[in-house]
Amino acid sequence: LGAAFDRVFVETVGVGQSEVEAAALVDTLVYVANPGTGDWLQFMKAGVLEAPDVFVVNKADLGASARNTAGELEGGVGLGDAGSEPATIDWKRPVILVSARENSGIGELVAAFDAHRAALAAGGALALRRRRSRDSWVLDGLERRFGTFGVERCGGREALRARLAERGAASSFALLAEIGREIE
């Protein structure tokens, strides 16, 4: 979809494995919290402070409840920075209050997306994320199609990762087809 659209949004439900998988496929990972969803300790327990690049508190029109949730996220964001993007990117993960009802915060959110993309590109992390995304997609596709036995016939996931790294900017589909033919 990235070839046809300037922005592609991928929505997942809840916090869990699907978010970890989604994080491997996107340039910017956004966590959307609703007012009253807990304190920073609950956010840490849920594992939502480490991965996101941008935090959004939805329904800012609810006032104090939304501001409290934003404050809890802001307080906890620094605690999750040890597991976030490498030092190659100069990025402070923002917490943004948004209300669709009042049409507020949306411009700030779009600006955060643009600023994050620029920070990724400036530090070389955008190309790295996209290559990792491609590699993950290819490896998962090979494993779905041929199972772990098929992947092992090519030397295993690590050998395939090294091979994919050598291929530079080759297309995901081309790589999947090429390696798939070898396994067959």
Side-chain angles (χ1 to χ4, degrees):
L1 292 175
F5 299 98
D6 293 334
R7 298 183 196 275
V8 177
F9 292 87
V10 178
E11 181 180 10
T12 63
V13 178
V15 176
Q17 188 60 35
S18 61
E19 284 67 33
V20 173
E21 293 169 2
L25 301 175
V26 299
D27 294 340
T28 302
L29 184 65
V30 179
Y31 176 76
V32 180
N34 287 312
T37 53
D39 60 21
W40 68 267
L41 186 57
Q42 289 174 316
F43 290 124
M44 286 200 56
K45 285 180 183 177
V48 300
L49 295 178
E50 295 87 9
D53 302 300
V54 176
F55 293 87
V56 173
V57 178
N58 194 22
K59 302 180 184 180
D61 50 280
L62 294 180
S65 179
R67 288 189 302 276
N68 288 342
T69 299
E72 291 292 341
L73 282 168
E74 287 170 347
V77 165
L79 300 173
D81 282 344
S84 62
E85 193 72 42
T88 59
I89 175 174
D90 182 22
W91 181 249
K92 182 182 182 305
R93 301 176 306 151
V95 177
I96 302 168
L97 286 157
V98 173
S99 171
R101 181 181 198 190
E102 295 181 351
N103 195 24
S104 65
I106 296 167
E108 187 179 346
L109 180 58
V110 171
F113 291 156
D114 293 341
H116 184 250
R117 182 185 181 108
L120 286 171
L126 182 61
L128 178 63
R129 275 191 183 197
R130 289 188 174 175
R131 195 189 84 232
R132 285 181 183 160
S133 173
R134 179 204 66 183
D135 295 357
S136 177
W137 188 86
V138 170
L139 290 170
D140 290 347
L142 290 169
E143 203 160 78
R144 274 192 306 278
R145 184 168 177 195
F146 301 105
T148 54
F149 176 76
V151 171
E152 289 304 317
R153 285 187 59 193
C154 291
R157 288 181 79 90
E158 290 311 309
L160 283 170
R161 280 187 203 285
R163 184 171 170 192
L164 292 171
E166 294 171 0
R167 293 301 307 273
S171 133
S172 302
F173 297 106
L175 289 166
L176 184 61
E178 174 188 319
I179 298 170
R181 282 190 296 274
E182 293 174 19
I183 294 173
E184 291 174 332

